[in-house]
Amino acid sequence: MMELLQLEDFKDTNVDPKWSAFDYLLEVTRVDQEKSQQRNSMQKKNKLKRKHQNSKNKRPIVSYPPPLLPQSLKQHIVEKLGGSDCVLVIQKKLFFSDVNPQASRFLIPFSQLKSHEFLNESEVKHLKTKKDVIKARLLEPSMDEIKINFNKWVMGNSSMYVITTSWKSIVKNNQLQVDNAVQLW
């Protein structure tokens, strides 16, 4: 953007009565360059400030100490549900979008997965076809089972798993709130 010089821009200029027209032209050029540098400096500062503000708005990946699955829960999964190889899928800090009753879904971004080894080959193929969801059971901390739909969403360059159907009930039953940390095994 081009900006015209104003009389105020020359307030610090000491004019010598012996200056030629060329000297005046050189002074105008100097003041213009100085003003241009100040403008560029301000634009760079503003750009850095916006970049810093944008980075603040990004959701941080929360790191916690490596968790252990309580033995009683592991025993219940193996003996009562026929499960095996209990693997931590994700440990995540909840955001508003995770507890929003209108959305009623729990997002599991691939970038935050602790393990990709929790699905068997047929389940992976099933999700790749995008024809249907995987009907699954989720064991709540209360040891109650609830039926869920487990799916894969691709949004632009990022992929994520998502739990839908009954998520709203899970949030309510367990009084989940923003900033709570949850684990999915």
Side-chain angles (χ1 to χ4, degrees):
M1 181 178 92
M2 183 176 221
E3 195 175 309
L4 296 176
L5 295 176
Q6 299 176 11
L7 186 57
E8 181 182 302
D9 296 323
F10 295 92
K11 66 180 178 199
D12 296 327
T13 301
N14 293 323
V15 178
D16 186 337
K18 298 178 187 168
W19 279 1
S20 66
F22 185 71
D23 292 323
Y24 283 108
L25 187 57
L26 285 175
E27 183 62 16
V28 168
T29 303
R30 186 194 65 76
V31 170
D32 183 55
Q33 286 179 340
E34 197 173 270
K35 188 172 181 178
S36 178
Q37 287 174 347
Q38 287 173 347
R39 191 171 43 247
N40 287 343
S41 176
M42 288 299 290
Q43 287 172 345
K44 284 180 184 178
K45 284 180 185 177
N46 288 338
K47 187 176 180 179
L48 285 172
K49 187 176 181 181
R50 282 192 304 274
K51 186 177 179 180
H52 181 69
Q53 286 172 338
N54 288 341
S55 67
K56 281 183 181 179
N57 295 336
K58 290 185 181 175
R59 294 179 170 183
I61 296 174
V62 180
S63 180
Y64 299 97
L68 296 174
L69 183 63
Q71 189 59 37
S72 60
L73 188 56
K74 188 174 184 175
Q75 186 176 350
H76 184 89
I77 291 169
V78 172
E79 293 176 5
K80 301 243 167 60
L81 303 178
S84 62
D85 297 331
C86 298
V87 175
L88 179 64
V89 176
I90 190 170
Q91 182 166 310
K92 178 181 171 183
K93 179 178 165 185
L94 294 177
F95 296 99
F96 176 74
S97 60
D98 296 315
V99 297
N100 180 357
Q102 281 73 38
S104 188
R105 84 248 181 310
F106 179 63
L107 296 178
I108 306 164
F110 279 21
S111 62
Q112 295 182 31
L113 287 174
K114 299 288 185 186
S115 171
H116 290 266
E117 307 298 320
F118 65 96
L119 296 173
N120 63 37
E121 277 186 51
S122 67
E123 291 168 332
V124 171
K125 285 180 186 175
H126 186 82
L127 290 175
K128 280 185 180 177
T129 65
K130 299 180 187 173
K131 291 180 184 173
D132 203 5
V133 299
I134 294 175
K135 304 280 185 193
R137 295 175 292 169
L138 186 135
L139 185 61
E140 296 184 72
S142 63
M143 302 302 243
D144 292 333
E145 288 182 47
I146 192 163
K147 292 179 181 178
I148 61 165
N149 286 342
F150 189 84
N151 204 348
K152 179 181 173 183
W153 287 356
V154 178
M155 301 169 93
N157 292 338
S158 62
S159 297
M160 60 191 71
Y161 293 117
V162 61
I163 293 174
T164 58
T165 309
S166 304
W167 181 249
K168 186 176 178 177
S169 298
I170 294 166
V171 169
K172 185 178 177 185
N173 294 347
N174 296 282
Q175 301 173 348
L176 298 178
Q177 298 175 358
V178 173
D179 292 332
N180 287 156
V182 296
Q183 297 174 350
L184 180 64
W185 289 83

